[in-house]
Amino acid sequence: MANIAVVLSGCGVFDGSEIHESVLTFLALEENQATYQCFAPDIDQHHVINHINGEEVNEKRNVLIESARIARGEIKPMTALNANDFDGLVFPGGFGAAKNLCDFAFNGKDCQVDPSVLQVAKSFVEMKKPIGFICIAPAMIPLIYNKPCQLTIGNDDDTAQAIEQMGGQHKTCRVDEIVIDETNRVVSTPAYMLANSVSEAASGIRKLIAQLIRMTQ
Amino acid sequence: MANIAVVLSGCGVFDGSEIHESVLTFLALEENQATYQCFAPDIDQHHVINHINGEEVNEKRNVLIESARIARGEIKPMTALNANDFDGLVFPGGFGAAKNLCDFAFNGKDCQVDPSVLQVAKSFVEMKKPIGFICIAPAMIPLIYNKPCQLTIGNDDDTAQAIEQMGGQHKTCRVDEIVIDETNRVVSTPAYMLANSVSEAASGIRKLIAQLIRMTQ
């Protein structure tokens, strides 16, 4: 039975983890007889967005504490994540992946990954353990792998171009499909980069998790 | 194609809507070819809970604004919900249903339902449109229907007793089952009153939504 670490980045599509993608990830993991544990960096969110009007509000929120909402309290800080204890890793999307886990949303091709996230992800890569990236999370792949990896963020030209400039090999992908890099053991799916509904997001996430679990075997 | 209103109560199991139950509700609605629109009361949350340690924090958050995180911004205030526009109604659970939509978590059998929620729910009842209640949300049933209704919150004796004292007819129910009151067109399921995992919660919610859609026909 595979044991998978899930990395969250807050709670809400515009400043944290995309909630539907996170829950669909948990559901797909259980449907593939995998167990999972959530983690998130213990850092302030880049900002807090009112999800009705999209405006920034003058509040501070912590990524780990807000992520705990999605995880029903069952979450640990990134620094407690040891790659030895898990068979694979998954990053759900949401702007939090591009604002809190890295700063791709602000700095594009010049972005950097949060040190606690980068260190853990590189451990999984060194151990040849597979990682799944959902939605905008694949923007971190070039910095984690430091070599050409096939990946997708759907079909957005500007985003794809920035990731190619970082060294990624972007493949256009439908919402219900996945891009697999067998050599590097990386799988990605567009989810809400393209999805118009929760069931559309689910279609790609189910395939991504099934592939991730295959790669752990 | 059925069009269903979903009433949220914040964002997070301990002070708002249970996030998994909400997303599983959306997914099940789409899997049953239904469309949906989210609503929430435009009121302050009763309180804000740190979901890691369970402690109250000194913050104010608005139920509608936080619920918007689960709804990806696609949400309207309760006062904009007209029962004429929908075929049925669903209340996902989480403590928010018992702290923000009503005060059952604090006042038990003497609880009251938020006026904007009560008015809308009573409109659906008057039009004989079905309503689904998940997790602890069935605690509102006696006050909404004002007559004996069959319902479940799982198997917690104290909670069931308080609801019986309010006039409800509690039936013990497994996590993967539902309780149907055909006469009153009410369906309920325990979800995270009993569930130990997201897939367990999904099993009952899928049945609840399928039954709700059948009742709209």
Side-chain angles (χ1 to χ4, degrees):
Chain A
M1 187 183 278
N3 190 26
I4 305 296
V6 182
V7 180
L8 301 179
S9 61
C11 179
V13 56
F14 299 130
D15 57 17
S17 280
E18 211 299 307
I19 289 172
H20 301 193
E21 292 175 4
S22 304
V23 176
L24 295 169
T25 295
F26 305 156
L27 184 64
L29 285 167
E30 290 186 12
E31 288 174 346
N32 282 277
Q33 286 74 52
T35 53
Y36 67 91
Q37 169 67 47
C38 292
F39 296 87
D42 185 5
I43 56 175
D44 280 343
Q45 293 185 191
H46 176 84
H47 56 195
V48 180
I49 299 287
N50 174 321
H51 277 55
I52 292 179
N53 60 22
E55 289 174 10
E56 188 173 343
V57 292
N58 186 24
E59 277 185 50
K60 269 188 187 270
R61 295 190 187 182
N62 175 285
V63 172
L64 177 60
I65 292 173
E66 296 309 316
S67 298
R69 295 176 174 274
I70 300 180
R72 297 172 45 84
E74 297 296 324
I75 195 165
K76 297 176 181 176
M78 278 308 283
T79 49
L81 172 44
N82 185 334
N84 285 303
D85 300 334
F86 294 91
D87 303 301
L89 187 64
V90 188
F91 290 96
F95 275 102
K99 291 178 173 178
N100 301 325
L101 303 188
C102 72
D103 56 6
F104 182 82
F106 311 107
N107 295 323
K109 68 177 172 57
D110 301 317
C111 74
Q112 297 203 301
V113 178
D114 172 82
S116 69
V117 174
L118 189 63
Q119 188 184 0
V120 162
K122 281 182 177 292
S123 303
F124 278 82
V125 175
E126 281 161 22
M127 295 181 195
K128 302 194 186 310
K129 292 181 176 180
I131 311 185
F133 296 86
I134 297 168
C135 185
I136 191 62
M140 292 185 286
I141 290 175
L143 295 172
I144 289 170
Y145 288 84
N146 275 326
K147 62 172 111 166
C149 273
Q150 292 187 17
L151 62 93
T152 189
I153 50 81
N155 61 18
D156 183 78
D157 284 342
D158 291 346
T159 308
Q161 196 178 352
I163 291 174
E164 294 245 324
Q165 287 172 323
M166 294 164 68
Q169 296 182 332
H170 184 263
K171 305 280 173 191
T172 297
C173 181
R174 294 189 343 196
V175 68
D176 60 345
E177 285 297 342
I178 56 178
V179 167
I180 304 168
D181 184 317
E182 291 280 3
T183 309
N184 294 302
R185 306 168 78 72
V186 182
V187 56
S188 52
T189 192
Y192 274 109
M193 289 298 290
L194 295 177
N196 292 308
S197 66
V198 63
S199 49
E200 279 191 10
S203 62
I205 290 170
R206 283 188 171 123
K207 284 187 187 171
L208 177 134
I209 295 298
Q211 176 62 30
L212 182 81
I213 300 302
R214 271 194 292 273
M215 284 173 160
T216 65
Q217 288 157 358
Chain B
M1 188 183 280
N3 190 25
I4 306 295
V6 182
V7 180
L8 301 179
S9 59
C11 179
V13 55
F14 299 131
D15 58 16
S17 281
E18 210 300 307
I19 289 173
H20 302 193
E21 291 176 4
S22 304
V23 175
L24 295 169
T25 295
F26 305 157
L27 184 64
L29 285 166
E30 291 187 10
E31 287 173 347
N32 282 276
Q33 286 75 51
T35 54
Y36 67 90
Q37 169 67 48
C38 292
F39 296 87
D42 185 5
I43 57 175
D44 280 343
Q45 294 184 190
H46 176 82
H47 56 195
V48 180
I49 299 287
N50 174 321
H51 277 54
I52 293 180
N53 58 24
E55 289 174 10
E56 187 172 344
V57 292
N58 186 23
E59 277 186 49
K60 268 187 188 271
R61 295 190 185 182
N62 176 284
V63 172
L64 177 60
I65 293 173
E66 297 308 315
S67 298
R69 295 176 174 274
I70 300 180
R72 296 171 46 85
E74 296 298 324
I75 194 163
K76 298 177 181 174
M78 278 309 285
T79 49
L81 171 45
N82 185 334
N84 285 302
D85 300 334
F86 294 91
D87 303 300
L89 187 63
V90 188
F91 290 97
F95 275 101
K99 290 178 173 178
N100 301 323
L101 303 187
C102 72
D103 56 7
F104 181 82
F106 311 108
N107 296 323
K109 68 178 173 55
D110 300 317
C111 74
Q112 297 203 303
V113 178
D114 173 83
S116 69
V117 174
L118 188 63
Q119 187 184 0
V120 162
K122 280 181 175 291
S123 303
F124 278 81
V125 175
E126 281 162 21
M127 295 180 194
K128 300 194 187 307
K129 292 181 176 180
I131 311 185
F133 296 86
I134 297 169
C135 185
I136 191 63
M140 293 185 285
I141 290 175
L143 295 172
I144 289 171
Y145 288 85
N146 274 327
K147 63 171 110 164
C149 271
Q150 293 187 16
L151 63 91
T152 189
I153 48 82
N155 61 17
D156 183 78
D157 284 341
D158 291 346
T159 308
Q161 194 178 355
I163 292 175
E164 293 245 324
Q165 286 172 325
M166 295 164 68
Q169 296 182 330
H170 183 264
K171 304 280 174 192
T172 296
C173 180
R174 294 190 341 197
V175 69
D176 60 345
E177 283 297 340
I178 56 178
V179 167
I180 305 169
D181 184 318
E182 291 281 2
T183 310
N184 294 302
R185 306 167 78 72
V186 182
V187 55
S188 51
T189 193
Y192 273 110
M193 289 296 291
L194 294 177
N196 292 308
S197 67
V198 63
S199 50
E200 279 192 9
S203 62
I205 290 171
R206 283 189 171 122
K207 285 187 188 170
L208 177 134
I209 295 298
Q211 175 61 28
L212 183 82
I213 300 303
R214 271 193 294 273
M215 284 174 161
T216 66
Q217 286 157 358

